Amino acid sequence: MRPVVVTLLIALLLGIQPVTTDLYLPALPALTEALNATMPQAQLTFSVLLLSFGISQLVWGPVSDRIGRRPVLLVGLALYTLGSFACFLASCIEWLVLARALQGAAMGAAVMGARAMVRDLYPPLEGARVMSKGLSGLGVLACISPILGGLLTEWWGWRAPLMAVTVFGAASLLAVSLWFKESATQLNPKALQWKNLWHTSKGILTHPTFWTFCALSSFSYGILGVYLASSSFIFIKVFGWSKTAYGITLFCNSAIYICGTFGGRVLLTRIGLTHTIALGACFTLAGGALIGLFAFLQMLSPVTVILSFVFVMLGHGIHQPFGQAGAVGPFPLAAGTASALNGFIMMVIGFFTVRWLGTAMDGTANPLAIGTVFWAVLIATLAFTAVQSYGPKK
């Protein structure tokens, strides 16, 4: 595959995650009312997606090491399209939760496959650059999705964004079937044997570099999960914004994130990986400190929340690609399994974050501030300590 094709496919496969979440976020309050659901039930449609997404990667990863990335991607995207259409047809909240579980499980194949493909084709530092490019493409999809979701919800109701997700899944399946050539040149015939799987997983889970960069990507996803799970209710219900205005807010966040990915690539060549991550942590910590201060002063408003997340999203644009690439970097022959374990841990963090928000939401923006400060402090602590010790030096 030509480099441009690889980058586009990585962006498409990783972008399935923001499309799945951001397109439906503007519709979340409306579908909660339409299906006579409570707020915790509505949050469950998000948390169950994350949990099934995380668990499924533990299966998809070793399977892809055994039979290759291409068949896993084709099966996963077919199931994803089916699950998305089931979401569109949902007549009750229970149906929607089950359909989102299937959607999340299938989404795991796409995201795991993209991460593993990067390690198949590139050494660690070059992989970090390519991953950053792919996540810039993800950022573009994240820019478009909330605005489109808001407009579709305003014009045709809450089911319209779910149909748009179905169309995206079908288009992704077509693109992979036409353009993707197998990237795993060394398949492992023993990848699915329990003894070998245990030995491989143990080797990954006892590697300090894996845990350092897995924690970085997971903590960074935790801070994003706080925002995604709470912001639609806060901006639409608490601040009284329209669905379209909220979609524009998410667009701005994604645009800042793209700037972070571009800036991270530039800094990577000039000051190195570990120093770039530390600088990103300064942005994250600044955003956490701002929103914490505004909450303490009882000054949380659309302006102060958006201002705080300018810094948070800049840091996220640095930490997410470098964290994901760094976690699989030491394991060229087990990239699928390493990617799966990284993805699983990320989604466990996201799941418990969303479940906490389901009980903490109190009609104010304070839970958003509390969660942001918590993850910002953890990210900064990790970036200034373990990353400096275990990050690749060249």
Side-chain angles (χ1 to χ4, degrees), residues 279-361:
L279 182 58
C282 293
F283 288 123
T284 304
L285 195 59
L290 275 177
I291 200 169
L293 177 62
F294 289 133
F296 178 75
L297 297 175
Q298 298 183 352
M299 293 175 58
L300 288 177
S301 68
V303 173
T304 57
V305 171
I306 291 171
L307 175 63
S308 301
F309 268 83
V310 167
F311 295 97
V312 170
M313 295 308 292
L314 280 172
H316 186 63
I318 293 172
H319 298 143
Q320 198 56 218
F322 294 165
Q324 291 186 30
V328 300
F331 313 105
L333 300 181
T337 303
S339 171
L341 290 168
N342 179 35
F344 171 73
I345 294 168
M346 283 176 61
M347 291 311 109
V348 168
I349 293 289
F351 173 79
F352 283 108
T353 298
V354 174
R355 294 307 297 156
W356 169 75
L357 281 168
T359 59
M361 292 293 287

Side-chain angles (χ1 to χ4, degrees), residues 1 77 267 319 389:
M1 294 179 288
L77 288 170
L267 290 169
H319 298 143
S389 299

Side-chain angles (χ1 to χ4, degrees), residues 2-3 9 16 25 149 157 199 229 244 326 391:
R2 291 180 298 164
L9 285 173
I16 203 169
L25 280 179
H199 179 75
T244 302

